[in-house]
């Protein structure tokens, strides 16, 4: 093992206040200071705020803020002190492994090592396990088991044995480092750092063996720095990296540690780039520049990311001249320019002189043979007039160069655009459309998007007289949704040139959209001999929508007979076959097309749509995905599928990395991506990110850019509900249901949500709107219950009564229930007289309804009035539904009010035995009746039962009579215990109370 080298480790540096500012090799480190003070003299007072350039992950180089900044600035010593110490690294009771192990164990161990050398890993495991049983706790055996399981691919078992080995042997560096590597691979950064820190401590322990592997310490230090950096401890990581580079280890020993260290050293330049990023996150661009410069001198495999970082850093430091030189250096490299267009524009936007840069760009443009990429780069650097002239000259020589034409059109229509500029943009778009009619719609949409709308273009062009301009005018109107104006423009174009294909096709398409199949077929008839893709596609659509699918398929087969499988019409054929439920043929058609166009994302998308949800095509799906990953690994669709796969595997961090490659704003109008981003943010438990994504998604839906994605909103609402943020969950649920098409479920759900959010006016409005469309019979009562709840909350009880009266007329089968519901609501609002009137009116219409009879009868009985009427009403209810506890209680209660307590008790006991009879009010009635019968002890026992029900945790009273019941029960129980008369219920008006019976035997001592 390695000899201890006092004073060389990062702990000594940290304790002395050194290593606080990592410096590239060859520079003297700052000493005696820490944190920002260490670099104050070398950093500008306020580095410029500049966004990172295209191609650089903003999270890598943007200065930290908030809690992330506090973590990044934590000094090394503090980090090391607070890292969680794994229990196996502080084992107190280690097994006694002194003395020689049994000879049998030694033989088994040797046999296991031989099996490892022969790559027979499972035999090795068997031999080592037998050896361990004979010699328990031996570190060498435990380490060998860890090695064998690692080779067998079982890291869980391997880690278990390495932990036991590390606990058994304080000098076991290999096990500790391997456990750290396992933690790194599992993205458990702090655990990894703790293990590498422990390895360094063991190297410096007094009992460390001598001599040792000279590569062990620098390897552990390098891995520790990596783990700290990944964990967000930037200042601490810089300190450890600084010591690593200060030593510049070049191990020569042929050991495992030396081989690993040599591999890291081979990527020395890449590590320096990492350190430059780290310094940016600490808001120290000057230090970042030194590391990037050192990386450039050292050499890296891919210079482009480093160059972009250098430009970014120069701009942050205000060194625009140096940034300009870096851009030009990039452009002058062989093959440079094509992927640097955005970089040129970025540099100009952030301070690099456009004029100076343009002079050098012009020379390069001529030297390189006027490539489009450099023309575009120069257009970003030159002032607008010169840029437009350059692009015009380029198009004169290469008129079909779409990228340059698009850039020129965008320049011409950008504000402040003159009328002549707008006319030129229109003319160039017309020219492109005439040359490639199949792409004409895209050209029109591109022009409209660049101008921010069709209005300025149409105004500038004025009344056109030429068919091509008229056709473009129609397309511009169509893009804006002005169908009538588009039709007029197309018809005018056809009037000028009846043979013009463009307006005829566009007009036929609009007629199809309007469902006028005859008009579409008439317009397309003169083009019957055309094999143009757009024409055939429209003819196929016309036939299909007319129900003539067989003719449509025949037309496609006839056209495709002389066409390549690469024809876009193959997709139309696949769609038609799917519509005929000929799935296998549709799949084969698309596979044939894919063989001809193996990089066409549209074909992959169609196939994925076929496979989606089809369990019988799982293998087909897997084959297609593998083909995507092999053939178009960087395509947008492939990255989306990869992200979906990672999400399904719950590897959310990896999925986020993939989604980030699609661009920060990509997916704003793509529900599939929206859902993926929301799922990833939820999986990473990033509430702020979920919040922002949902806000963006809802804003896009409100602006009409895309529909609201029900699944994304549902997942987000459940996420916030689980997190305890009920207000946000309800807000998102509201938005989710607002986006759904109107129906009863939407109205009821929204009304409930509005009521929760104290928006009764909105609840009443959405229910009123749905009521006009009608309500299914099963929803009539709960629907109107919500409606009048909202109206009562608004204080509009008169309107609530009118709503129920109208509903009774419209839904007579539910009339009794609706009347009862209104009566309960009126009574809850304190208007007992109105409730009584409502029930009486209901009984006139529904005289045999048990619920109305019981409710009105019970109300009269409770007041002690019209008791004979009440008894008759309740009798009708009991006769109709004899097993309902509430009706039996009502009958008992009317007899109580008539002072017939024996009969009352009989009915009340029947009520208690019925389903639902354990209601506190029924039990209270029974207790009052028992007391009236002179059975005070039984009465107290019954009252206690009712009181205990009310006191149960989580009990929610639903009956108005339960309000204050617990206190009344307590008062009655106390009164009896103190020898006073309890306040039991009165009997009916003008009813004589019979003499109170003498207490039954045993009632003298009442608790």
């Amino acid at each position: 093992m390695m000899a201890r080298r006092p004073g060389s480790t990062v702990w000594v540096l940290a304790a002395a206040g050194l290593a606080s500012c990592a410096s590239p090799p060859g520079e003297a480190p700052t000493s005696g200071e820490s944190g920002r003070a260490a670099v104050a003299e070398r950093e500008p007072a306020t580095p410029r705020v500049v966004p990172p350039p295209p191609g650089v992950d903003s999270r890598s180089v943007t200065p930290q803020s908030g809690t992330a900044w506090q973590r990044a600035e934590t000094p090394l010593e503090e980090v090391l002190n607070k890292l969680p110490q794994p229990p196996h690294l502080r084992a107190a009771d280690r097994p006694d492994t002194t003395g020689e192990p049994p000879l049998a164990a030694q033989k088994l161990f040797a046999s296991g090592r031989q099996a490892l050398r022969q790559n027979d890993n499972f035999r090795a495991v068997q031999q080592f396990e037998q050896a361990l049983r004979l010699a328990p706790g031996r570190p060498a055996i435990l380490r060998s088991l860890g090695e064998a399981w690692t080779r067998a691919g079982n890291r869980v078992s391997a880690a278990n044995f390495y932990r036991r080995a590390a606990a058994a042997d304080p000098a076991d560096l290999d096990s500790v480092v391997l456990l750290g590597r396992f933690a790194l691979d599992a993205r458990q950064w702090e655990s990894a750092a703790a293990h590498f820190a422990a390895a360094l401590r063991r190297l410096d322990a007094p009992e460390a063996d001598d001599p040792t592997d000279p590569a062990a310490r620098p390897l552990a230090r390098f891995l520790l720095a990596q783990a700290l950096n990944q964990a967000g401890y930037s200042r601490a990581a810089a300190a450890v990296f600084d010591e690593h580079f200060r030593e510049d280890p070049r191990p020569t020993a042929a050991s495992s540690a030396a081989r690993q260290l040599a591999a890291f050293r081979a990527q020395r330049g890449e590590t320096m780039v990492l350190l430059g990023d780290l310094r940016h996150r600490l808001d120290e661009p000057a230090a970042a520049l030194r590391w990037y410069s050192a990386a450039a001198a050292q050499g890296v495999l891919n210079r482009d990311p480093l160059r972009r970082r250098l430009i970014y850093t120069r701009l942050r430091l205000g060194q625009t001249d140096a940034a300009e030189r870096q851009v030009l250096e990039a452009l002058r490299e062989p093959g440079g320019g094509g992927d640097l267009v955005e970089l040129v524009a970025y540099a100009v936007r952030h301070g690099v002189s456009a004029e100076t840069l343009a002079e050098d760009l012009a020379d390069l443009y001529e030297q390189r043979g006027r490539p489009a990429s450099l023309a575009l780069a120069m257009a970003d650097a030159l002032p607008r007039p010169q840029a437009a002239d350059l692009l015009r000259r380029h198009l004169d020589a290469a008129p079909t160069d779409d990228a340059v034409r698009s850039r020129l059109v965008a320049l011409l229509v950008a504000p402040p655009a003159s009328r002549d500029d707008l006319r030129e943009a229109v003319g160039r778009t017309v020219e492109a459309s005439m040359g490639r009619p199949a792409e004409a719609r895209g050209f029109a949409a591109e022009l409209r998007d660049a101008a921010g709308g069709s209005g300025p273009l149409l105004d500038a062009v004025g009344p056109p007289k030429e068919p091509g301009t008229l056709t473009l005018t129609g397309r511009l109107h169509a893009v804006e949704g002005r169908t009538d104006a588009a039709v007029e423009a197309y018809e005018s174009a056809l009037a000028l040139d009846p043979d013009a294909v463009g307006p005829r096709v566009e007009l036929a398409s609009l007629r199809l959209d309007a469902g006028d199949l005859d008009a579409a077929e008439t317009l397309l008839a003169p083009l019957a001999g055309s094999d143009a893709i757009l024409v055939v596609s429209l003819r196929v659509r016309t036939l299909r929508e007319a129900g003539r699918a067989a003719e449509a398929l025949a037309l496609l087969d006839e056209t495709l007979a002389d066409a390549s499988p690469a024809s876009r019409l193959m997709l139309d054929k696949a769609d038609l076959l799917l519509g005929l439920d000929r799935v296998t043929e549709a799949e084969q058609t698309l596979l044939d097309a894919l063989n001809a166009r193996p990089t066409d994302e549209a074909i992959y998308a169609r196939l994925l749509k076929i496979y989606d949800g089809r369990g019988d095509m799982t293998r087909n799906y897997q084959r297609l995905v593998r083909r995507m990953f092999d053939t178009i690994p960087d395509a947008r669709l492939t990255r989306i599928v990869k992200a979906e796969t990672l999400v399904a595997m719950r590897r959310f961090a990896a999925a986020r990395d993939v989604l980030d490659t699609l661009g920060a704003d990509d997916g704003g109008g793509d529900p599939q991506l929206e859902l993926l981003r929301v799922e990833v943010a939820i999986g990473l438990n990033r509430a702020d990110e979920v919040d922002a994504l949902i806000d963006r998604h809802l804003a896009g839906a409100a602006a009409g850019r895309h529909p609201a994605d029900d699944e994304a909103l549902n997942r987000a609402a459940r996420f916030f509900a689980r997190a305890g943020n009920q207000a946000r969950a309800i807000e998102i649920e509201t938005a989710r249901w607002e986006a759904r098409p109107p129906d009863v479920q939407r109205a009821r759900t929204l009304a409930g949500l509005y009521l929760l959010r104290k928006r009764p006016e909105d609840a009443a409005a959405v229910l009123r709107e749905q009521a006009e469309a009608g309500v299914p019979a099963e929803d009539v009562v709960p629907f109107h219950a919500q409606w009048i709840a909202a109206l009562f909350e608004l204080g509009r009880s008169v309107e609530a009564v009118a709503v129920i009266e109208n509903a009774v007329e419209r839904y007579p089968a539910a009339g009794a229930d609706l009347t009862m519901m209104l009566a309960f609501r009126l009574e809850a609002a304190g208007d007992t007289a109105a409730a009584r009137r409502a029930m009486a009116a209901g009984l006139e219409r529904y005289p045999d309804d048990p619920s109305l009879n019981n409710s009105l009868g019970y109300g009269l009985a409770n007041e002690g009035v019209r008791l004979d009427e009440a008894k008759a009403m309740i009798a009708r209810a009991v006769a109709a539904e004899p097993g309902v506890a509430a009706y039996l209680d009502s009958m008992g209660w009317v007899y109580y009010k008539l002072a017939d307590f024996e009969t009352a008790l009989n009915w009340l006991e029947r009520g208690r035995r019925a389903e639902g009879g354990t209601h506190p009010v029924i039990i209270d009635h029974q207790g009052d009746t028992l007391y009236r019968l002179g059975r005070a002890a039984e009465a107290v026992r019954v009252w206690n039962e009712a009181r205990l029900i009310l006191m149960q945790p989580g009990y929610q009273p639903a009956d108005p009579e339960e309000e204050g019941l617990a206190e009344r029960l307590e008062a009655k129980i106390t009164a009896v215990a103190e020898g006073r008369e309890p306040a039991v219920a009165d009997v009916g008006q003008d009813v004589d109370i019979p003499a109170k019976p003498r207490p039954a035997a045993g009632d003298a001592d009442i608790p």
Side-chain angles (χ1 to χ4, degrees), residues 75-257:
L76 174 60
E77 187 175 11
E78 185 178 333
V79 173
L80 296 176
N81 287 334
K82 76 174 187 179
L83 283 175
Q85 185 76 347
H88 50 277
L89 299 183
R90 55 175 187 267
D93 300 322
R94 294 188 170 91
D96 182 9
T97 57
T98 57
E100 286 292 321
L103 182 59
Q106 294 182 46
K107 290 181 177 179
L108 287 166
F109 179 77
S111 176
R113 297 305 305 177
Q114 179 63 26
L116 273 183
R117 286 190 289 273
Q118 295 170 349
N119 291 321
D120 191 349
N121 302 316
F122 290 106
R123 180 170 169 272
V125 166
Q126 293 172 344
Q127 298 298 303
F128 292 140
E129 285 181 342
Q130 292 181 52
L132 190 63
R133 283 193 288 272
L134 296 173
R138 293 283 174 169
I141 302 176
L142 293 168
R143 278 193 299 274
S144 296
L145 274 165
E147 182 182 354
W149 279 120
T150 300
R151 291 190 183 187
N154 188 337
R155 285 198 167 193
V156 175
S157 295
N160 176 50
F161 284 109
Y162 282 132
R163 281 192 289 268
R164 291 170 61 183
D169 181 5
D172 184 359
L173 279 178
D174 292 340
S175 295
V176 176
V177 171
L178 280 168
L179 287 168
R181 296 297 294 268
F182 285 0
L184 269 183
D185 293 343
R187 304 174 69 89
Q188 298 168 355
W189 314 125
E190 293 200 355
S191 174
H195 280 89
F196 298 136
L200 283 165
R201 288 193 191 96
R202 292 189 177 193
L203 283 166
D204 289 331
E207 64 272 16
D209 294 340
D210 186 24
T212 188
D213 183 351
R217 181 178 282 104
L219 175 62
R221 185 180 297 113
F222 182 82
L223 292 171
L224 172 62
Q226 280 192 322
L228 291 171
N229 180 53
Q230 293 284 8
Y233 295 115
S234 302
R235 181 72 61 196
V240 183
F241 271 125
D242 178 51
E243 174 67 6
H244 175 79
F245 276 102
R246 200 187 313 278
E247 278 192 342
D248 191 20
R250 295 171 181 264
T252 56
S255 65
S256 173

Side-chain angles (χ1 to χ4, degrees), residues 433-713:
S433 301
M434 299 290 284
R436 280 173 291 169
E439 300 173 51
R441 291 180 185 176
F443 296 151
E446 178 185 77
L447 175 64
R448 180 260 183 197
D449 291 343
S454 300
L457 298 165
L458 296 171
D459 291 343
V461 171
K465 298 296 183 184
E466 185 268 324
T469 309
L470 274 169
T471 304
L472 176 62
T473 300
R475 289 185 178 117
L476 291 173
H477 283 303
V479 169
E480 296 284 3
R482 296 191 291 266
T483 305
D484 291 342
V487 167
E488 183 181 351
Y490 295 144
E491 288 178 341
S492 298
L494 279 177
L496 289 174
D497 182 4
D499 295 330
V501 174
R504 183 174 294 278
V505 167
E506 295 293 357
L507 192 54
S509 180
L510 286 179
R511 295 304 188 205
L512 270 177
D513 291 341
D516 192 346
L517 301 180
D518 291 338
E521 195 165 8
T522 300
L523 283 162
L524 293 171
L527 305 177
S530 172
D531 59 359
I533 289 176
L534 187 56
V535 174
V536 175
S537 185
L538 279 173
R539 291 180 62 203
V540 166
R541 181 183 164 194
T542 304
L543 292 168
R544 184 174 60 192
E545 293 187 12
R548 296 152 62 186
E551 292 179 56
L553 191 57
L555 173 60
L556 278 172
D557 286 338
E558 180 185 348
T559 307
L560 289 169
D562 299 323
S564 162
S567 171
R568 295 281 173 181
L569 292 174
M570 295 286 278
L571 274 67
D572 286 342
K573 181 177 179 180
D575 288 343
L576 189 58
L577 289 167
L578 281 175
L580 296 170
D581 202 27
R582 293 160 63 175
V583 178
T584 303
E585 292 176 69
E587 178 195 24
Q588 188 57 55
T589 299
L590 290 170
L591 289 173
D592 290 343
L594 189 61
N595 290 333
R597 296 202 309 274
T599 61
D600 191 329
E601 285 186 67
I603 303 175
Y604 285 103
R606 300 288 181 93
L607 282 164
L608 288 173
K609 190 173 180 181
I610 289 178
Y611 298 148
D612 185 34
R614 295 188 65 100
D616 58 329
M617 288 188 163
T618 302
R619 290 187 178 180
N620 308 47
Y621 169 81
Q622 292 170 345
R623 282 196 296 268
L624 182 71
V625 169
R626 284 196 296 269
R627 183 170 180 175
M628 288 173 65
F629 288 173
D630 291 341
T631 309
I632 51 170
D634 297 324
R636 178 176 179 276
L637 181 62
T638 307
R639 286 178 284 168
I640 291 174
V641 171
K642 184 176 182 180
E644 287 176 332
T645 305
L646 291 168
V647 166
M649 296 168 65
R650 304 189 65 78
R651 294 177 56 189
F652 298 110
R656 179 193 178 100
D657 291 341
V658 174
L659 289 174
D660 283 348
T661 67
L662 294 169
D665 295 322
D666 196 345
D670 185 337
Q672 182 186 18
L673 269 186
E674 291 284 356
L675 178 57
L676 274 175
R677 292 186 192 281
V678 170
E679 282 194 271
V680 167
I682 289 172
L684 295 173
N685 200 31
R686 296 183 176 177
D688 290 345
E689 198 169 321
V690 178
D691 217 19
L693 284 166
I694 291 300
D695 281 344
R696 186 183 75 173
H697 180 71
L698 291 174
R705 292 193 296 272
H706 55 74
D709 188 278
D710 188 79
E711 183 64 19
L713 296 176

Side-chain angles (χ1 to χ4, degrees), residues 290-428:
R290 288 192 290 277
W291 278 113
Y292 291 151
S293 300
Q298 175 72 32
V300 292
L301 291 175
N302 186 353
R303 287 184 53 81
D304 185 61
L306 174 58
R307 181 187 299 117
R308 292 170 187 265
R309 284 168 164 79
L310 282 164
I311 293 169
Y312 165 68
T313 310
R314 297 287 189 187
L315 291 174
R316 284 202 70 199
L317 293 169
Q319 301 173 4
T320 53
D321 290 345
E324 178 186 321
R325 289 193 295 273
Q326 299 267 196
V327 174
L328 289 170
E329 176 187 325
L331 292 168
R332 287 169 180 154
E333 285 188 1
D339 58 347
L340 296 175
V341 175
E342 291 180 325
L343 189 60
V344 172
Y346 166 82
V348 171
R349 279 198 305 272
H350 297 291
V352 172
S353 168
E355 289 77 5
T356 306
L357 195 58
E359 292 176 10
D360 292 285
L361 283 170
D363 293 339
L364 283 174
Y365 178 66
E366 296 297 334
Q367 293 168 13
R368 295 272 178 88
R370 300 182 176 185
S373 58
L374 272 177
L376 293 169
M378 291 174 65
D380 286 325
L382 288 168
R384 177 172 166 165
Q386 293 92 318
D389 286 341
L390 168 70
L391 295 176
R392 289 188 187 101
R393 291 196 302 273
H394 182 91
L395 284 174
D396 288 343
T400 60
D401 199 327
D402 269 346
V404 175
R405 179 193 53 76
S406 296
R407 186 72 182 91
L408 175 58
V409 166
L411 267 180
L412 291 170
V413 300
S418 68
R419 189 179 184 85
D420 288 342
D421 287 341
L422 292 171
R423 281 181 177 275
E424 181 183 352
V426 168
R428 289 189 179 275

